[in-house]
Amino acid sequence: MLPTLMKHLLKIVLLALFFVFVSCGKQKTKSQLDHQIPPEVKNDALYHAIHRLAKEEPLSTILEIGSSSGQGSTEAFVTAIRENPSHPTLFCIEVSKRRFSQLKKHYEKDPFVRCYNVSSIPLELFPKEEEVSRFYNNVPSKLNRTPLPTVLQWLKQDIDYLKREGVPQKGIELIRRENGIENFDMVFIDGSEFTGMAEFDQIYGARYILLDDTCTFKNYLNRERLLKDPNYTLIEENPNLRNGYAIFKRIKF
């Protein structure tokens, strides 16, 4: 009787240890994308610029990459669109499932807001560690305020999240295909720190291109490219607001 009881107790202990191990393992795979974050573009110069353009310009399609839970730049877009006589449609991309849930719930009563829980680009278009390291070491930017190992950990975290959660990829391509869009009227690039350049290639040709974080890896080179592009003109920027922003308008649309 005693040996049998001990066997049962041993099984219970081993089972408990197993669940503790599994639980700890899950905790280790948690990323920043599993958490809500406060809005960054909120009642500042960029917020007001977004609101002004989205309200006054004759737009049809707007793409926001990196909507988070919808309390920052998304709010600026939505409140402006409500007053725009052209009644544009806002397409929101948010890769974080938790933030997307709040985003969709917040704007469920606004039919002109279409939310997509997707990755803007496929995994194969993410930069390699060597590319990020080369930028970090050769281009003085506000990214240098963060140690390189931490920056590379951010990159790994983004890639691991996509693999773990199985979020649909090629989000920009999906939105364009589903809605018959060749060029968006306005695009705001403010998603992952590491996807900005690949996103830019896919939205080039938009009437307005808004870039946040122009002083980091995300949009530094995109800004440089547009400054040299005869098809676009810089209409507003502030490199000193957080990590900088810039707004470009296509000259011939």
Side-chain angles (χ1 to χ4, degrees), residues 16 69 95 102 110 112-113 122-123 150 167 177 186 189 206 214 236:
S69 57
V95 69
Q102 292 299 313
D110 292 296
F112 59 85
V113 181
L123 276 171
T150 301
V167 179
R177 184 174 65 250
M186 180 179 289
I189 299 179
T214 53
E236 180 174 331

Side-chain angles (χ1 to χ4, degrees), residues 59-96:
L59 308 170
S60 177
T61 56
I62 302 172
L63 175 65
E64 181 187 41
I65 304 172
S67 298
S68 192
S69 57
Q71 307 300 307
S73 54
T74 314
E75 178 184 273
F77 279 118
V78 172
T79 55
I81 290 173
R82 289 171 181 161
E83 301 181 64
N84 190 322
S86 297
H87 307 295
T89 299
L90 174 64
F91 299 94
C92 298
I93 288 179
E94 177 50 49
V95 69
S96 166

Side-chain angles (χ1 to χ4, degrees), residues 17-233:
L17 289 173
F18 171 77
F19 282 115
V20 169
F21 176 78
V22 171
S23 177
C24 290
K26 289 182 177 180
Q27 290 298 321
K28 289 180 181 179
T29 61
K30 284 283 186 179
S31 79
Q32 293 180 354
L33 290 167
D34 291 304
H35 303 287
Q36 298 285 5
I37 56 174
E40 291 187 350
V41 182
K42 185 74 171 182
N43 297 323
D44 58 18
L46 178 55
Y47 181 99
H48 295 306
I50 290 172
H51 187 275
R52 182 181 68 255
L53 291 171
K55 176 183 176 181
E56 298 174 356
E57 294 299 310
L59 308 170
S60 177
T61 56
I62 302 172
L63 175 65
E64 181 187 41
I65 304 172
S67 298
S68 192
S69 57
Q71 307 300 307
S73 54
T74 314
E75 178 184 273
F77 279 118
V78 172
T79 55
I81 290 173
R82 289 171 181 161
E83 301 181 64
N84 190 322
S86 297
H87 307 295
T89 299
L90 174 64
F91 299 94
C92 298
I93 288 179
E94 177 50 49
V95 69
S96 166
K97 289 187 174 182
R98 183 170 182 182
R99 298 170 197 170
F100 172 80
S101 177
Q102 292 299 313
L103 170 71
K104 187 175 181 181
K105 181 178 180 181
H106 193 71
Y107 295 110
E108 61 185 358
K109 294 183 180 179
D110 292 296
F112 59 85
V113 181
R114 302 184 185 178
C115 304
Y116 287 77
N117 182 209
V118 295
S119 171
S120 56
I121 62 169
L123 276 171
E124 57 264 27
L125 293 184
F126 271 72
K128 306 300 182 184
E129 286 191 2
E130 295 76 13
E131 183 180 352
V132 176
S133 298
R134 185 165 56 250
F135 174 90
Y136 185 95
N137 292 320
N138 297 327
V139 180
S141 75
K142 293 185 178 181
L143 191 63
N144 295 124
R145 297 174 177 177
T146 303
L148 179 57
T150 301
V151 174
L152 296 179
Q153 179 58 38
W154 291 345
L155 173 61
K156 182 179 184 302
Q157 175 180 258
D158 285 0
I159 293 173
D160 288 347
Y161 184 87
L162 289 184
K163 293 178 178 178
R164 169 164 62 91
E165 297 296 334
V167 179
Q169 301 177 31
K170 300 183 179 180
I172 296 175
E173 181 182 316
L174 172 67
I175 293 172
R176 295 178 68 169
R177 184 174 65 250
E178 285 188 352
N179 298 277
I181 299 171
E182 182 176 357
N183 286 318
F184 294 96
D185 290 319
M186 180 179 289
V187 177
F188 182 39
I189 299 179
D190 190 25
S192 166
E193 176 69 23
F194 308 100
T195 56
M197 286 186 282
E199 292 162 351
F200 181 89
D201 290 337
Q202 296 193 24
I203 61 85
Y204 180 84
R207 184 179 175 191
Y208 287 94
I209 298 179
L210 290 68
L211 307 174
D212 198 17
D213 301 309
T214 53
C215 298
T216 67
F217 185 83
K218 184 188 298 183
N219 278 314
Y220 185 97
L221 295 178
N222 290 339
R223 173 184 174 276
E224 293 291 305
R225 177 175 169 181
L226 285 171
L227 286 173
K228 299 175 183 177
D229 193 328
N231 294 311
Y232 283 89
T233 183

